[in-house]
């Protein structure tokens, strides 16, 4: 479908959105399956824009988006920045060390300063779970959670869904194997919820010390919170066997230091995804990884760069998905209208 | 002294568990002391008395709180002796025991005497000081218990901090025999707790918050009980919160260990699901109200199973008393992320009403509830308090059992507002508090449930 860069993009004409007007994207848990589908459809249109020679569209022209990262991250921040810029927004990046937070200003005062600047969207990554929820109570802007503590990383899970759907079609009924540090991984949590919402079966395998103490998977609370159908299996072989998606998660050395793992070597021998383990999965199985990868630890170099690896696509899809998210939250007509009291700096 | 020093509180349901009274009676007070409690009184006998009609009210001895943080000296923006004792009076408490984690710490006679002196000037109810276990509460060297006892402390605690060194805990217990006062250890093994900011469980997993397992408390409670058994001295367990702690406590008591224990109103009535910020409702997705920092407290709010066991243990008397662990914090310490929030719940003004609901649902009798706030704490203190007995200080609390009210922290006498109960509807309210014969708090409930 030939598109001129100044023509009205097809996604604007689509009734892509079963998406309820909302102000924030804090986690996938309050999105319905049809809303997620709608976002994936919008992302498809966005991906096409990123493939053009002139990667620009005026959808968010005049909007101000700030990325505020309190944790180091190159790929996610650049991904959001690129997403905002392709859509024509003014994107400003704040990193915590350079900001007045390092001068002792509280998070609350930092956010109140931004509130006074009347920005449209704030993309936040923070080491404390719940920080974006806290921030959203003190600022009018749309909040996009780029990762909070060990709680959630919604855009990662949506781009993972997008990647799997692009290759395997319908996600429903597929078996997803997640291997690794579940306890500390916000990617794992958002992926578990997102894939289960779309009807996939999610299986997890990892060392006992890297599982949360309490899952109570049969309980009402677990079912209601989206963890309910999760299967924990003893061995990585059992998890990977017949899987359509294999997703090893990054293992950090801090876990060994905290006494949870004897060594990264032992982890790599028992849980590392190499060619032998990948061979147990389906022939058409995909290898996903949220990055950055520790080659030789949770994943072998062979598998990381092998035929089944879609890691680079995940990165490309990440921009498209984040464009879809920013567009959905901020584009005029889509977003929840914000009534700004002239002169007031308190959120309504 | 005020002219009106003769009071007659008439027609109320007097519940004094220590004196085994539970009936409509009149309480006569003169010169700040109880004169008598009688069933039948001639109207004429009230000549010269100021008569307070207490029809429909429950009349209790003034409540005694063995665990309050007045933050004074050192953190006066959170609370002071003045505001804290006013908060106590609003909650029906006529005696509060002030924890020593002030700045400077209450680890010498001079700091304790300062608190006593200023409490007499600025406080409106009785303040009894608690001394530190270790110098500076740093857990290295014993505080001068003899000097502190002479200055007037009622026990020793490093509360806020656990005594991590088991030898120091043992020596503290052994040395306390010199003065016969209880050692009150905040039992929390920080290594087991592993940086947890709420209790370990599915809620913590769901919210991505580090969870501290019950065993972080239970393991140290067990240690303290065995050490108290070894030294044969007095141990008092503050803010007990787990099934495991109750079990080891029960078997220690059965073996004759000299131990008493307290539980907070919030551990009796709230649980981990309150961290979702919906007053105990569990949402289908984590919402904007989640991560309610007013629920962050040490020890943390526990599971429903723990809560049930705590109520049963209080009813049976395995847990001796209720103590508030009133922990005021300013907005700067609570309007932030959960990880950054200071732990502590502002409890004095909601304490009685929040546990009164347990009587309504028949989990505990009203007599036992009042005993846990009056007779039993007094006996732990070893003082003539907590009873309406002739000669005792005239500390009296009036409760309107039918009052309906909504918790509004902006009306608190406390300087701080950090309670998870804001907006919660309560039945039953303290409506008047008399301290040494003088009314120090009085209010008119706006709504009464007459149905």
């Amino acid at each position: 479908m030939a598109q001129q860069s100044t023509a009205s993009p097809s996604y604007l004409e689509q009734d892509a959105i079963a998406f309820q007007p909302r102000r924030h994207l804090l986690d996938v848990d309050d999105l319905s399956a049809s809303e997620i589908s709608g976002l994936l459809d919008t992302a498809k249109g966005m991906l096409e824009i990123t493939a053009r020679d002139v990667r620009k569209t005026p959808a968010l022209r005049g909007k101000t988006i700030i990325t505020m990262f309190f944790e180091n991250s190159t790929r996610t921040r650049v991904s959001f920045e690129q997403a905002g810029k392709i859509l024509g927004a003014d994107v400003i990046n704040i990193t915590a060390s350079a900001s007045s937070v390092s001068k002792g200003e509280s998070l609350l005062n930092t956010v109140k300063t931004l509130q006074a600047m009347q920005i449209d969207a704030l993309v936040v990554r923070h080491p404390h779970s719940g920080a974006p929820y806290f921030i959203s109570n003190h600022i009018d802007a749309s909040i996009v959670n780029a990762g909070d503590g060990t709680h959630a990383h919604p855009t990662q899970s949506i781009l993972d869904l997008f990647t799997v759907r692009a290759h395997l079609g319908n996600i429903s009924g597929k078996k997803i194997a997640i291997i690794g540090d579940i306890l500390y991984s916000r990617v794992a949590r958002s992926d578990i919820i997102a894939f289960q919402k779309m009807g996939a079966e999610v299986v997890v395998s990892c060392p006992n010390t890297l599982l949360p103490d309490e899952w109570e998977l049969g309980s009402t609370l677990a079912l209601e919170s989206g963890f309910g159908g999760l299967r924990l299996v003893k061995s990585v072989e059992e998890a990977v066997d017949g899987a359509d998606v294999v997703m090893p998660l990054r293992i950090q050395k801090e876990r060994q230091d905290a006494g949870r793992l004897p060594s990264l070597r032992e982890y790599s021998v028992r849980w590392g995804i190499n060619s032998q383990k990948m061979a147990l999965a389906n022939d058409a199985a995909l290898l996903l990884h949220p990055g950055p990868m520790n080659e030789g630890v949770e994943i072998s170099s062979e598998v990381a760069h092998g035929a089944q690896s879609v890691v680079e696509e995940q990165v490309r899809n990440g921009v498209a998905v984040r464009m879809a998210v920013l567009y959905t939250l901020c584009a005029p007509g889509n977003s929840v209208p914000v009534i700004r009291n002239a002169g007031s700096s308190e959120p309504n | 002294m005020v002219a009106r020093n003769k009071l007659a509180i008439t027609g109320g349901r007097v519940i004094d568990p220590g004196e085994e009274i539970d009936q409509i009676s009149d309480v006569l007070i003169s010169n700040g002391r109880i004169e008598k409690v009688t069933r039948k009184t001639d109207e004429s006998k009230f000549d010269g008395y100021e008569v307070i009609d207490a029809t429909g009210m429950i009349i209790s001895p003034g409540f005694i709180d063995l665990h309050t943080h007045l933050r004074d000296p050192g953190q006066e923006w959170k609370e002071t002796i003045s505001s804290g004792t006013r908060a106590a009076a609003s909650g029906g408490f006529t005696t509060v025991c002030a924890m020593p984690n002030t700045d400077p710490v209450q680890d010498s006679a001079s700091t304790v005497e300062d608190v006593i002196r200023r409490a007499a000037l600025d406080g409106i109810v009785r303040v009894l000081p608690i001394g530190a276990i270790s110098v500076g509460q740093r857990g290295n060297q014993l505080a001068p218990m003899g000097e502190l006892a002479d200055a007037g402390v009622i026990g020793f605690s490093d509360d806020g901090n656990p005594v991590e060194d088991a030898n120091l805990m043992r020596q503290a217990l052994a040395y306390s025999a010199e003065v016969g006062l209880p050692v009150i250890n905040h039992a929390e093994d920080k290594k087991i707790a592993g940086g947890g900011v709420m209790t370990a469980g599915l809620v913590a997993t769901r919210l991505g918050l580090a969870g501290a397992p019950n065993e972080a408390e239970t393991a140290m409670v067990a240690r303290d009980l065995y050490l108290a058994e070894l030294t044969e001295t007095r141990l008092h367990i503050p803010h007990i919160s787990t099934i495991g702690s109750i079990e080891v406590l029960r078997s220690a008591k059965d073996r004759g260990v000299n131990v008493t224990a307290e539980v907070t109103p919030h551990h009796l009535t709230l649980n981990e699901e309150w961290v979702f910020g919906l007053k105990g409702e569990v949402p289908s997705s984590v919402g904007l109200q989640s991560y309610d920092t007013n629920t962050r407290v040490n020890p943390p709010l526990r599971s429903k199973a723990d809560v049930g066991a705590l109520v049963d243990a209080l009813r049976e008397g395995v847990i001796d008393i209720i103590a508030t662990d009133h922990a005021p914090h300013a907005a700067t310490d609570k309007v932030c992320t959960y990880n950054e929030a200071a732990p502590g719940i502002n409890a004095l003004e909601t304490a009685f009403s929040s546990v009164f609901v347990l009587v309504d649902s028949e989990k505990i009798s009203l007599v036992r509830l009042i005993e846990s706030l009056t007779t039993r704490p007094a006996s732990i203190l070893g003082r003539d308090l907590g009873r309406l007995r002739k000669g005792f200080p005239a500390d009296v609390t009036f409760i309107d059992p039918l009052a309906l009210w909504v918790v509004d922290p902006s009306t608190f006498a406390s300087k701080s507002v950090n309670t998870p109960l804001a907006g919660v509807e309560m039945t039953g309210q303290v409506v008047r508090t008399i301290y040494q014969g003088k009314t120090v708090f009085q209010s008119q409930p706006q709504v009464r449930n007459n149905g």
Side-chain angles (χ1 to χ4, degrees):
Chain A
M1 207 177 353
Q3 289 279 341
Q4 293 181 352
S5 56
T6 50
S8 173
S10 59
Y11 61 84
L12 283 176
E13 290 150 12
Q14 276 176 30
D15 189 18
I17 316 294
F19 207 90
Q20 295 306 306
R22 62 182 64 230
R23 186 164 288 168
H24 312 298
L25 179 66
L26 301 176
D27 194 6
V28 283
D29 63 351
D30 68 341
L31 300 177
S32 69
S34 65
E35 286 178 304
I36 294 176
S37 274
L39 258 185
L40 296 177
D41 291 337
T42 306
K44 199 162 160 205
M46 297 297 185
L47 187 65
E48 180 258 321
I49 297 174
T50 67
R52 296 179 188 167
D53 267 345
V54 179
R55 285 188 288 277
K56 204 74 170 179
T57 168
L60 294 188
R61 196 166 132 238
K63 298 291 180 186
T64 303
I65 297 173
I66 292 191
T67 71
M68 189 164 70
F69 276 50
F70 292 85
E71 275 181 358
N72 278 335
S73 152
T74 311
R75 71 184 59 215
T76 307
R77 189 168 55 73
V78 168
S79 184
F80 271 106
E81 184 179 355
Q82 190 174 28
K85 283 181 164 158
I86 293 175
L87 290 169
D90 297 319
V91 181
I92 303 166
N93 299 316
I94 301 177
T95 44
S97 54
S99 77
S100 48
V101 169
S102 62
K103 295 184 203 159
E105 187 182 37
S106 70
L107 178 59
L108 178 65
N109 283 335
T110 303
V111 170
K112 284 191 165 175
T113 306
L114 295 177
Q115 162 70 2
M117 294 175 182
Q118 300 191 323
I119 61 176
D120 298 285
L122 182 60
V123 178
V124 184
R125 171 172 284 192
H126 197 283
H128 295 169
S129 299
Y133 297 77
F134 166 68
I135 290 169
S136 67
N137 286 318
H138 295 279
I139 192 170
D140 280 326
S142 288
I143 309 296
V144 180
N145 184 4
D148 66 322
T150 56
H151 170 242
H153 193 354
T155 56
Q156 179 70 43
S157 63
I158 297 169
L159 77 87
D160 288 343
L161 288 173
F162 185 88
T163 308
V164 171
R165 193 174 84 157
H167 281 267
L168 303 181
N170 206 354
I171 293 168
S172 177
K174 300 289 186 286
K175 181 182 177 189
I176 319 291
I178 303 182
I179 317 294
D181 187 352
I182 307 297
L183 176 59
Y184 290 96
S185 172
R186 54 189 172 223
V187 171
R189 288 152 199 265
S190 286
D191 271 320
I192 289 168
I193 295 170
F195 275 99
Q196 291 201 135
K197 253 194 219 268
M198 302 308 279
E201 178 204 354
V202 181
V203 178
V204 158
S205 170
C206 72
N208 199 26
T209 47
L210 293 177
L211 278 177
D213 281 327
E214 300 285 344
W215 283 91
E216 297 168 47
L217 291 175
S219 71
T220 317
L221 179 55
L223 289 165
E224 283 171 3
S225 62
F227 287 152
L230 180 67
R231 267 210 305 139
L232 301 175
V233 298
K234 273 229 170 310
S235 75
V236 64
E237 287 81 6
E238 192 185 336
V240 174
D241 183 38
D244 299 292
V245 171
V246 177
M247 190 188 309
L249 298 174
R250 198 164 73 92
I251 289 289
Q252 294 177 293
K253 185 161 183 309
E254 283 84 28
R255 310 302 166 235
Q256 176 186 333
D257 296 339
R260 290 185 184 267
L261 284 179
S263 64
L264 296 184
R265 181 179 167 276
E266 171 137 326
Y267 179 85
S268 153
V269 167
R270 294 176 77 81
W271 281 276
I273 300 299
N274 54 22
S275 307
Q276 288 99 300
K277 300 212 177 88
M278 265 316 273
L280 297 170
N282 280 349
D283 290 337
L286 301 174
L287 186 290
L288 269 67
H289 193 301
M293 298 188 280
N294 288 333
E295 292 181 32
V297 181
E298 74 267 2
I299 188 172
S300 70
S301 296
E302 220 180 345
V303 169
H305 304 289
Q308 290 171 292
S309 164
V310 291
V311 168
E312 282 170 33
E313 274 180 57
Q314 282 176 279
V315 175
R316 271 201 301 279
N317 294 338
V319 178
V321 161
R322 288 167 179 134
M323 285 170 67
V325 168
L326 290 173
Y327 171 73
T328 306
L329 294 179
C330 300
N334 281 354
S335 58
V336 175
V338 173
I339 300 133
R340 297 191 198 281
N341 298 319
S344 158
S345 56
E346 286 304 314
N348 54 304
Chain B
M1 200 55 202
V2 183
R4 286 178 301 232
N5 60 357
K6 280 174 164 322
L7 286 179
I9 304 168
T10 65
R13 176 184 170 193
V14 174
I15 301 182
D16 182 347
E19 300 293 282
E20 292 177 18
I21 300 173
D22 179 2
Q23 60 198 21
I24 307 290
S25 306
D26 303 324
V27 179
L28 301 179
I29 293 169
S30 68
N31 294 322
R33 296 197 174 267
I34 303 290
E35 195 185 300
K36 73 169 131 182
V37 176
T38 80
R39 275 187 78 177
K40 281 184 185 318
T41 318
D42 239 326
E43 297 284 319
S44 61
K45 294 252 164 80
F46 295 152
D47 253 2
Y49 285 78
E50 178 193 348
V51 174
I52 303 173
D53 178 9
T55 313
M57 301 295 119
I58 295 167
I59 303 300
S60 160
F63 302 152
I64 298 168
D65 187 11
L66 248 56
H67 192 145
T68 303
H69 295 274
L70 293 178
R71 306 289 188 219
D72 183 356
Q75 294 183 311
E76 294 85 353
W77 63 91
K78 299 188 187 190
E79 195 83 285
T80 60
I81 289 172
S82 171
S83 65
T85 54
R86 278 160 176 76
S90 297
F93 291 88
T94 51
T95 303
V96 293
C97 299
M99 277 292 176
N101 58 334
T102 49
D103 180 15
V105 168
Q106 304 294 313
D107 61 4
S108 71
S110 54
T111 44
V112 171
E113 284 162 7
D114 170 66
V115 167
I116 291 174
R117 181 185 59 83
R118 288 193 300 108
L121 288 173
D122 302 332
I124 63 167
V125 299
R126 184 179 300 104
V127 176
L128 299 176
I130 298 172
I133 294 173
S134 64
V135 173
Q137 296 188 312
R138 285 190 292 273
N140 295 325
Q141 183 191 339
L142 283 183
M145 289 185 175
E147 174 185 318
L148 290 168
D150 288 343
V153 305
I154 56 95
F156 307 99
S157 183
D158 278 355
D159 188 58
N161 300 335
V163 176
E164 290 175 333
D165 184 335
N167 177 55
L168 188 75
M169 183 63 188
R170 175 192 174 183
Q171 304 307 337
L173 283 163
Y175 191 77
S176 73
E178 299 292 323
V179 296
L181 295 172
V183 173
I184 307 167
N185 182 40
H186 169 108
E188 181 189 349
D189 185 324
K190 298 206 166 171
K191 292 282 172 80
I192 298 177
V197 299
M198 66 174 290
T199 198
L202 187 58
V203 179
T205 300
R206 186 67 197 87
L207 291 172
L209 292 174
N214 282 11
E215 286 72 12
E217 171 184 304
T218 309
M220 197 177 268
V221 167
R223 176 200 83 171
D224 293 342
L225 286 165
Y226 283 115
L227 291 176
E229 190 169 13
L230 175 66
T231 59
E232 293 179 349
T233 53
R234 292 181 63 187
L235 175 71
H236 178 77
I237 298 173
H239 46 53
I240 192 171
S241 75
T242 72
I243 291 173
S245 294
I246 295 169
E247 282 168 0
V248 288
L249 172 64
R250 180 181 279 120
S251 64
K253 280 191 167 184
D254 287 344
R255 294 196 309 278
V257 176
N258 189 350
V259 58
T260 50
E262 71 187 39
V263 63
T264 67
H266 36 278
H267 288 105
L268 289 169
T269 54
L270 310 182
N271 60 61
E272 58 188 335
E273 292 171 2
W274 280 66
V275 184
F276 284 120
L278 295 171
K279 314 286 184 230
E281 258 182 64
V282 176
S284 57
S285 62
V286 176
L288 293 184
Q289 319 83 344
S290 294
Y291 306 95
D292 180 3
T293 55
N294 287 316
T295 61
R296 179 154 185 202
V297 62
N298 270 343
L301 301 181
R302 300 287 189 188
S303 72
K304 287 179 168 165
D306 292 300
V307 173
L310 290 166
V311 173
D312 291 342
L314 179 69
R315 184 184 58 244
E316 292 162 30
V318 174
I319 297 175
D320 302 82
I321 64 172
I322 293 174
T324 68
D325 194 6
H326 175 74
H329 284 294
T332 39
D333 300 310
K334 287 289 194 181
V335 183
C336 53
T337 65
Y338 209 84
N339 285 57
E340 291 166 330
I345 288 179
N346 189 311
L348 280 169
E349 295 171 80
T350 54
F352 179 79
S353 297
S354 67
V355 293
F356 190 58
V357 70
L358 299 171
V359 173
D360 243 8
S361 52
E362 290 174 17
K363 299 216 169 67
I364 186 170
S365 72
L366 181 56
V367 171
R368 173 65 190 128
L369 187 70
I370 289 180
E371 184 194 49
S372 69
L373 289 164
T374 57
T375 333
R376 276 304 278 147
S379 85
I380 293 173
L381 290 172
R383 304 222 174 175
D384 285 349
L385 294 170
R387 294 174 192 233
L388 301 173
R389 181 189 277 188
K390 182 179 160 76
F392 275 37
D395 300 341
V396 186
T397 296
F398 292 48
I399 299 152
D400 182 344
L402 299 177
L404 296 175
W405 64 292
V406 176
V407 178
D408 178 3
S410 69
T411 64
F412 278 1
S414 167
K415 274 193 170 185
S416 301
V417 297
N418 55 309
T419 169
L421 298 174
V424 173
E425 291 175 355
M426 302 272 191
T427 304
Q429 192 177 22
V430 169
V431 293
R432 188 169 189 150
T433 306
I434 291 177
Y435 170 61
Q436 296 187 326
K438 184 171 160 231
T439 296
V440 289
F441 169 74
Q442 191 173 359
S443 80
Q444 190 66 38
Q446 290 177 314
V447 186
R448 295 189 82 221
N449 180 5
N450 289 310

